[in-house]
Amino acid sequence: MRIITGKYKGRHFDIPRTFKARPTTDFAKENIFNVLIQYIDFDGARALDLFSGTGSISLELLSRGCSQVVSVELDRDHHRFIQDCLKKLGDTPQFLPIRGDVFRFVKSCKQQFDFIFADPPYALKELPTIPSLIFEKGLLKDDGIFVFEHGKEHDFSSDPHFVEHRSYGSVNFTIFRTTEKASL
């Protein structure tokens, strides 16, 4: 896993072979971030990474200058891996790795974010409910961006917050915005 651009550009982290997470591929990550630069300036943004797994997206957001990155991951080993990556980067006070259940976090969170990324396990039965939960709980600031990674069997184009869908191999991203049917 590597950081694509920003302060930590080119840094590599070896994911243990025993890892259960399915990290977003570097190819898909690079392509979706190339799309996202037309929607959001990450410098100074407050970001939330749900189901963070390896922490790849969180580390990328940190490298791109986010003023705060909150990473939520339930698995103990994955959470520890994210913390180990942070130690290798050095002083990162703007990064808050939380070990916990994403649904509990979302339901109790009182903070709003400029950017939210969620990459749940593709087989998660609650997966289709996640976009509506994010908007119901008001986690995005006005004009905030939410990127949802999911399998090809899901289509969110009828959602009132839908902006666009991108596919890179088996990786699918749906981009949502707090303003209804807003696209640039």
Side-chain angles (χ1 to χ4, degrees):
M1 165 179 95
R2 72 180 169 91
I3 297 177
I4 296 163
T5 197
K7 180 178 180 179
Y8 304 112
K9 179 181 179 176
R11 296 290 299 267
H12 286 265
F13 301 93
D14 294 324
I15 300 169
R17 294 187 191 277
T18 59
F19 231 52
K20 295 175 273 186
R22 168 202 33 79
T24 303
T25 64
D26 287 344
F27 173 77
K29 181 171 65 170
E30 184 169 9
N31 279 288
I32 194 62
F33 272 95
N34 285 340
V35 170
L36 290 173
I37 59 174
Q38 68 181 315
Y39 293 107
I40 185 168
D41 179 4
F42 290 104
D43 191 35
R46 293 171 71 174
L48 174 63
D49 182 11
L50 300 172
F51 305 97
S52 45
T54 63
S56 174
I57 298 298
S58 292
L59 296 170
E60 190 69 38
L61 292 166
L62 185 65
S63 183
R64 290 172 184 255
C66 287
S67 64
Q68 181 187 36
V69 178
V70 177
S71 169
V72 183
E73 174 55 48
L74 180 60
D75 186 274
R76 181 188 74 237
D77 294 333
H78 299 176
H79 183 259
R80 186 178 310 121
F81 178 78
I82 293 167
Q83 289 179 310
D84 290 344
C85 291
L86 286 173
K87 286 177 189 169
K88 291 176 184 174
L89 293 179
D91 187 33
T92 53
Q94 69 275 38
F95 194 107
L96 177 61
I98 296 173
R99 181 172 172 243
D101 179 77
V102 164
F103 294 100
R104 281 188 180 159
F105 176 85
V106 167
K107 289 175 183 173
S108 66
C109 183
K110 304 295 183 223
Q111 186 175 354
Q112 286 192 313
F113 300 90
D114 300 294
F115 180 77
I116 299 175
F117 186 92
D119 179 11
Y122 288 2
L124 185 71
K125 67 179 173 119
E126 298 92 349
L127 185 145
T129 68
I130 293 170
S132 59
L133 183 62
I134 296 295
F135 290 103
E136 285 170 14
K137 295 300 176 183
L139 295 183
L140 274 178
K141 289 182 179 179
D142 289 343
D143 222 23
I145 297 293
F146 169 44
V147 175
F148 191 48
E149 183 174 335
H150 55 85
K152 65 182 177 184
E153 62 279 353
H154 296 285
D155 178 4
F156 297 96
S157 60
S158 63
D159 187 285
H161 303 284
F162 174 83
V163 175
E164 70 173 287
H165 172 263
R166 294 289 177 123
S167 177
Y168 305 102
S170 63
V171 180
N172 289 264
F173 296 103
T174 298
I175 301 172
F176 301 89
R177 184 172 231 147
T178 49
T179 54
E180 293 187 17
K181 290 286 184 183
S183 64
L184 297 176

